[in-house]
Amino acid sequence: MIKYILIKLPQYILKKRLDKILSFFLPKYSRSYIKKLIIKNKVTSNLKLLNKPSIKIFKRILIKITFINKKKITKYKNIKLNILYEDKYLLIINKPHNLVVQPGFKNLNKTLINCLLNYNNFLIFIYRLGLIHRLDKNTSGIILITKTILSRKLFINMFKYHKIYKEYESIVIGKILNNGFINANISRSKKKKIKMNININGKNAITYYKIIKIFNKYTRIKIIIKTGRTHQIRVHMLYINYPILGDKKYNIKKKKFLFFKKIKRQILHACCINFYHPIFGYNIICFSKIPLDILNLINIINIK
């Protein structure tokens, strides 16, 4: 089955990258999936191929996007949302690990976004269905969803100016002896597009960490991020040679800790969010308890 849509670009969306333009009109789909459509010659204008995601559009053209054998994104009813706070402007939930946030090329329906659609159909009218920040598939904890166009704009501005406090807990490999912070720019790896790395020409990224407990070969830490770059905590902790335990993508010490080979995810949990409501003005603080799998791991490490 071949499905296509036509988009007539309005004036206000011009002078932007093609992939960003299409992401605006196709909020159900991830940026990575949209890029694949562009690269695979599925985006055209007047029979002319638009096959570079980075190309900027300056004219009000008619764009045709073709989907081949594209499964429809549906609601996902198997997972009940763990809601920590909700009003008519925002929703704060506790995401379990092993749950992807956005539909992607290989996973269209078993994601957090599908769960949200099942919970509230009206999110379909909000850009990216209210999503303004993400957690990795195997990072558990707090994530904030906006429910109106107004609240989305306000929260994007709050994230931009660091007015939202986010706190994580993690266990890293190695004994950290002092609290500290990391200020190192991050960009996407040129060799492996799915990875990020430290690059002086990348985007500014700042991470603070504080010791909770030192074990024999590990350290339990609290992490506070001032910026929200992709994989920021994982990349920064690897950068200072204290990679996150269980992180198979950013871990230089895998072979030394084989007894933890059964760990199926990075030990990283978003445990707190704190901000002032941009419309009502009162302070909102939400906490998420450390998941059982991490607590069990802490008990094992205590014995080691």
Side-chain angles (χ1 to χ4, degrees):
M1 179 181 176
I2 298 178
K3 177 185 176 183
Y4 70 89
I5 63 171
L6 297 172
I7 299 174
K8 179 67 174 180
L9 299 184
Q11 187 69 34
Y12 65 84
I13 205 71
L14 301 182
K15 301 180 181 180
K16 297 183 182 296
R17 288 170 51 115
L18 178 61
D19 55 348
K20 289 188 176 182
I21 290 174
L22 298 188
S23 293
F24 180 84
F25 289 102
L26 304 172
K28 291 183 182 180
Y29 303 99
S30 68
R31 180 78 65 83
S32 61
Y33 177 75
I34 289 173
K35 285 184 176 180
K36 287 180 180 179
L37 287 178
I38 296 171
I39 294 170
K40 292 186 176 182
N41 300 326
K42 303 304 179 186
V43 181
T44 61
S45 176
N46 296 327
L47 302 180
K48 180 181 177 181
L49 288 176
L50 300 176
N51 54 11
K52 292 184 178 180
S54 62
I55 188 175
K56 291 188 177 182
I57 306 299
F58 294 93
K59 297 181 180 180
R60 294 189 62 193
I61 58 177
L62 182 68
I63 293 180
K64 180 180 179 180
I65 306 165
T66 303
F67 304 92
I68 298 179
N69 297 326
K70 187 73 176 65
K71 295 181 180 180
K72 183 180 179 181
I73 294 180
T74 61
K75 301 173 184 178
Y76 186 36
K77 299 182 179 180
N78 292 345
I79 296 180
K80 184 178 180 180
L81 294 176
N82 182 359
I83 299 173
L84 302 177
Y85 173 87
E86 183 177 17
D87 59 38
K88 65 179 182 179
Y89 295 104
L90 65 98
L91 175 67
I92 300 175
I93 63 173
N94 188 21
K95 184 186 87 69
H97 74 274
N98 198 32
L99 179 64
V100 177
V101 172
Q102 289 191 115
F105 188 66
K106 295 182 180 180
N107 183 3
L108 292 173
N109 299 313
K110 295 183 178 181
T111 72
L112 175 62
I113 286 295
N114 304 106
C115 299
L116 289 168
L117 281 175
N118 180 59
Y119 179 73
N120 185 345
N121 277 327
F122 291 101
L123 288 175
I124 196 71
F125 299 110
I126 311 300
Y127 179 52
R128 289 191 178 278
L129 287 85
L131 193 68
I132 51 175
H133 72 117
R134 291 184 290 178
L135 294 178
D136 298 328
K137 174 184 176 181
N138 284 318
T139 297
S140 55
I142 295 171
I143 189 167
L144 185 152
I145 307 294
T146 55
K147 295 170 65 177
T148 69
I149 295 174
L150 171 62
S151 60
R152 175 180 169 78
K153 290 181 179 179
L154 292 172
F155 274 104
I156 286 177
N157 193 58
M158 290 171 70
F159 272 106
K160 180 179 180 180
Y161 292 103
H162 316 305
K163 293 183 178 180
I164 297 179
Y165 174 92
K166 291 188 294 180
E167 185 178 298
Y168 296 74
E169 275 204 29
S170 179
I171 299 174
V172 298
I173 298 174
K175 297 172 71 172
I176 299 179
L177 301 179
N178 298 293
N179 301 332
F181 74 96
I182 307 159
N183 186 352
N185 294 3
I186 293 176
S187 68
R188 192 166 296 280
S189 171
K190 293 182 179 180
K191 294 181 179 179
K192 295 184 179 181
K193 297 297 184 181
I194 61 172
K195 294 185 70 174
M196 310 298 288
N197 59 19
I198 301 299
N199 187 330
I200 193 172
N201 296 317
K203 295 182 178 179
N204 176 243
I206 301 174
T207 302
Y208 292 85
Y209 57 91
K210 183 178 181 180
I211 299 167
I212 297 176
K213 186 173 182 180
I214 300 174
F215 301 97
N216 184 25
K217 297 178 181 178
Y218 313 93
T219 309
R220 181 179 176 184
I221 59 173
K222 177 193 299 184
I223 300 170
I224 300 164
I225 57 173
K226 290 295 183 181
T227 53
R229 309 306 177 197
T230 302
H231 298 172
Q232 176 176 320
I233 296 174
R234 300 163 68 186
V235 173
H236 269 178
M237 296 314 297
L238 175 62
Y239 177 62
I240 62 171
N241 293 320
Y242 294 104
I244 292 176
L245 186 59
D247 193 340
K248 296 179 181 179
K249 184 175 289 186
Y250 299 102
N251 194 335
I252 58 175
K253 302 181 180 180
K254 296 177 185 177
K255 295 182 180 179
K256 295 182 180 180
F257 300 88
L258 294 179
F259 76 96
F260 281 127
K261 63 183 180 180
K262 293 184 179 180
I263 297 175
K264 296 182 179 180
R265 63 134 164 169
Q266 64 266 11
I267 307 304
L268 184 61
H269 179 69
C271 57
C272 177
I273 192 168
N274 184 355
F275 59 90
Y276 283 92
H277 199 294
I279 296 171
F280 298 136
Y282 51 71
N283 187 216
I284 294 177
I285 305 177
C286 286
F287 297 96
S288 171
K289 294 181 179 179
I290 303 300
L292 185 60
D293 65 323
I294 296 181
L295 291 176
N296 290 336
L297 184 62
I298 291 172
N299 291 331
I300 294 173
I301 293 175
N302 266 322
I303 299 173
K304 290 289 180 179

